[in-house]
Amino acid sequence: MNCSFARRLCAALVAAAFSLLLFTAGACAGESPKMKAGLAEADITPEPGMEKPGGYGKSYNKIVHDPCKVRVAVFDDGKMRVAVVGIDALVVRRPLVEAARKRIHEKCGIRPEAILIGASHSHSSGPTGMILPGEFDHASDLVKTLAYEKSSCADAKYLVHVENQIVEAVCRADANRAEVRCGAGVGIEDKVAFNRRFRMKNGMTHTHPGQGNPELVEPAGPTDPEVGVIGVWDGKGEKFLGCVVNFSCHATCSAPGTSANWIYYMEQVIRGSMMNPEATVVFLQGACGDVTQVDNLSPYVRPAPARWSQLVGGRVGAEAVKVLLSMEPGVLAPLDAKVKLWDVARRKPNPARVKQCLELVQKDPKQVGATEWTFAKEIVLLDALLSKEPIKKVEVQAVQVGPVVMLTNPAEYFCQFGLDIKARSPFKITFPVELANDCVGYVPTEEALGPHGGGYETRLTSYSNLEPTAGRQMVDAAIELAKQMQPGPMPEPAKAPAAKESWGYGRVPPELE
């Protein structure tokens, strides 16, 4: 053997052994674990003239106020990856979610149950709902006319575009993974969201009784002022890369034209304050089925829509910034994800009511009255839906990022349920996330469906129809999943050494002369 080569080989073996020794020593000493994350966004702004969902009839946007997006954060603790996806959309239906999850898993390996896809519930977004293409093809010609020509419908071309953009954004975020420092925290914003349901003097509950109504007694439900935030910085903890924000308020401010709604202004405030105009801000809607920006107790004229969007988004964004500035970036681990699927029964309209509604919808809405005709149409559609799908498959998902757990449901979920989830959760920080991974319409409390309940959210429609206990079932399922997880520690700043004596400048008695 060549002597020079032998010496080089010997040196290499010694260096390798020394490196292995250092690695082992570091592992034994408990080296700080590493965390990776990748962020990305994609445009899903609908074409002008497409349907604008959010009502029970046709409506269209002709201009664009601000872009609608898919926003993604992929987290990686070295053992597992989870993808958190926020969409500027009224709703996201199950077929789209299942298709996107399957393709993402095939392309980059993230497990389907570890992919959370949540709609912001923007009422000024594109046509992802309410009725899907072909959903009522099994029904009579009358029902098909009511469904496809008289109702709010998803656009088949747009659904394909949204699915493609979700898959592309998640895979890009996954490819962008790099070492990061993350933090988590919760702030309070209690000036922009209000429960819209009120107890009235007649013993019933009304939705939006109107400002100054003398029959109004008190709000019939709570609000949730917490602004939950997960922040992401680069590996040095210097450059802000993005965040995940959870807050409970309908996105119904609706500046003129297509828009992400107040979420747009929230994003702008966070980006500007954190000095990164390209930061990714993933929004997850909280339990806000009965909570909006409308203050029925206010004596003042309501702001114009654009100003209202700016007010809500600006204040939520400002609170998120306060939380970001206060949190300690570090490692949020472990990661975990679980789902539970089960069958929930639908409420069924009385046959006599169905017969009466069939007669009404064949008349001119002007003759019947627009509201009565609209909800007669919904009963007819629900009756047709029940013939095909009397039971609804419901998914609840738990996605863990260290000390934070995101507990999802597919409903416009009453705020009280979100508070119940937080109260029972074993995690330090809990994000209830509504309208995630599907849409089952409004899910009110059992009290709201009782003798002194009522209001818009309790109407029986093709959109909202689950049995009265559905909300409680979702709470129980979410907590069941959360309790199968082990909450991770919250990053903390380094502890200061104990002082041995007071500051020299201040260690004096009063000086009076």
Side-chain angles (χ1 to χ4, degrees):
M1 181 183 290
N2 182 282
C3 291
S4 175
F5 175 77
R7 284 195 296 271
R8 291 197 303 272
L9 178 61
C10 183
L13 289 172
V14 169
F18 184 64
S19 297
L20 179 61
L21 179 64
L22 288 177
F23 174 82
T24 305
C28 293
E31 263 190 358
S32 298
K34 304 298 182 184
M35 181 178 192
K36 291 184 177 181
L39 301 114
E41 61 180 42
D43 188 88
I44 55 166
T45 306
E47 297 174 6
M50 281 187 169
E51 282 197 50
K52 176 182 72 173
Y56 289 97
K58 300 289 189 186
S59 183
Y60 303 88
N61 266 330
K62 297 181 180 179
I63 61 171
V64 175
H65 179 273
D66 58 84
C68 292
K69 301 178 184 179
V70 172
R71 301 175 177 88
V72 180
V74 172
F75 297 99
D76 179 359
D77 66 355
K79 297 179 180 178
M80 183 173 182
R81 287 171 292 160
V82 299
V84 180
V85 183
I87 310 176
D88 293 326
L90 181 81
V91 297
V92 56
R93 296 287 300 273
R94 187 73 179 172
L96 187 154
V97 171
E98 290 181 329
R101 282 175 167 173
K102 182 176 184 291
R103 290 174 60 192
I104 291 166
H105 180 63
E106 291 171 348
K107 284 177 174 286
C108 58
I110 301 175
R111 287 163 29 194
E113 68 271 21
I115 302 168
L116 187 167
I117 302 176
S120 68
H121 200 52
S122 169
H123 277 236
S124 44
S125 58
T128 56
M130 296 162 58
I131 291 172
L132 293 180
E135 189 169 5
F136 285 89
D137 282 1
H138 68 286
S140 68
D141 289 343
L142 171 62
V143 169
K144 284 188 280 192
T145 297
L146 296 175
Y148 304 140
E149 298 179 23
K150 305 295 183 181
S151 302
S152 178
C153 293
D155 182 281
K157 175 184 171 184
Y158 185 69
L159 289 175
V160 171
H161 177 61
V162 172
E163 180 191 320
N164 289 338
Q165 293 295 78
I166 291 172
V167 174
E168 190 276 333
V170 172
C171 292
R172 182 155 39 91
D174 185 65
N176 289 342
R177 277 175 296 140
E179 188 175 323
V180 295
R181 293 169 67 83
C182 295
V186 176
I188 298 295
E189 168 45 58
D190 60 1
K191 299 291 190 297
V192 296
F194 308 90
N195 199 291
R196 67 184 182 182
R197 292 168 51 77
F198 283 80
R199 305 192 193 285
M200 310 301 287
K201 289 181 180 178
N202 66 3
M204 300 300 292
T205 300
H206 291 182
T207 304
H208 287 315
Q211 294 167 277
N213 188 331
E215 297 302 307
L216 182 156
V217 177
E218 62 181 358
T223 60
D224 183 353
E226 290 192 342
V227 181
V229 186
I230 298 173
V232 183
W233 286 261
D234 65 11
K236 296 180 180 179
E238 296 173 354
K239 182 180 180 181
F240 175 72
L241 302 178
C243 59
V244 178
V245 180
N246 177 236
F247 184 68
S248 301
C249 183
H250 257 70
T252 46
C253 297
S254 299
T258 295
S259 171
N261 222 274
W262 62 258
I263 291 90
Y264 166 74
Y265 290 98
M266 178 191 72
E267 176 190 69
Q268 297 307 302
V269 167
I270 293 172
R271 283 179 161 182
S273 300
M274 299 304 291
M275 295 181 289
N276 183 353
E278 297 181 347
T280 299
V281 179
V282 180
F283 176 67
L284 300 177
Q285 185 62 267
C288 71
D290 51 348
V291 175
T292 75
Q293 81 284 357
V294 178
D295 182 4
N296 284 275
L297 295 176
S298 171
Y300 303 110
V301 174
R302 297 169 182 170
R307 168 65 181 142
W308 222 348
S309 293
Q310 187 178 30
L311 172 65
V312 177
R315 289 190 65 101
V316 175
E319 189 61 28
V321 169
K322 287 162 60 179
V323 177
L324 287 164
L325 294 173
S326 301
M327 67 179 57
E328 178 69 16
V331 172
L332 299 185
L335 304 181
D336 202 354
K338 299 180 186 295
V339 298
K340 180 176 180 178
L341 278 163
W342 76 103
D343 292 335
V344 178
R346 300 183 189 272
R347 309 197 309 270
K348 299 177 181 179
N350 184 290
R353 186 181 182 193
V354 175
K355 181 180 177 181
Q356 180 186 31
C357 290
L358 272 168
E359 295 172 356
L360 287 175
V361 296
Q362 295 179 70
K363 297 179 180 179
D364 190 316
K366 294 179 181 178
Q367 178 185 355
V368 176
T371 298
E372 188 171 355
W373 189 91
T374 294
F375 290 101
K377 172 193 67 124
E378 286 301 312
I379 292 296
V380 173
L381 292 179
L382 173 57
D383 184 61
L385 182 62
L386 286 165
S387 69
K388 181 177 75 168
E389 191 183 11
I391 302 294
K392 176 63 180 176
K393 185 74 73 177
V394 169
E395 176 187 305
V396 162
Q397 179 187 37
V399 174
Q400 176 185 0
V401 181
V404 181
V405 67
M406 298 163 237
L407 299 176
T408 77
N409 65 80
E412 288 200 56
Y413 210 39
F414 268 34
C415 188
Q416 184 59 58
F417 290 132
L419 296 175
D420 292 345
I421 286 172
K422 288 183 176 182
R424 292 175 55 188
S425 173
F427 279 74
K428 187 175 181 67
I429 299 176
T430 299
F431 295 177
V433 182
E434 74 166 30
L435 291 171
N437 307 317
D438 197 6
C439 178
V440 298
Y442 288 102
V443 172
T445 61
E446 289 171 77
E447 184 274 337
L449 292 166
H452 298 289
Y456 163 66
E457 302 86 354
T458 68
R459 281 185 178 272
L460 190 56
T461 67
S462 65
Y463 176 69
S464 305
N465 49 61
L466 295 191
E467 61 182 315
T469 63
R472 188 156 35 88
Q473 292 178 47
M474 293 176 195
V475 171
D476 291 342
I479 298 303
E480 175 189 331
L481 295 180
K483 287 184 175 179
Q484 296 173 29
M485 298 173 168
Q486 183 63 45
M490 186 79 77
E492 294 181 347
K495 293 290 194 329
K500 295 181 179 178
E501 58 181 9
S502 301
W503 182 39
Y505 278 24
R507 196 171 60 245
V508 296
E511 296 181 350
L512 301 178
E513 57 183 19

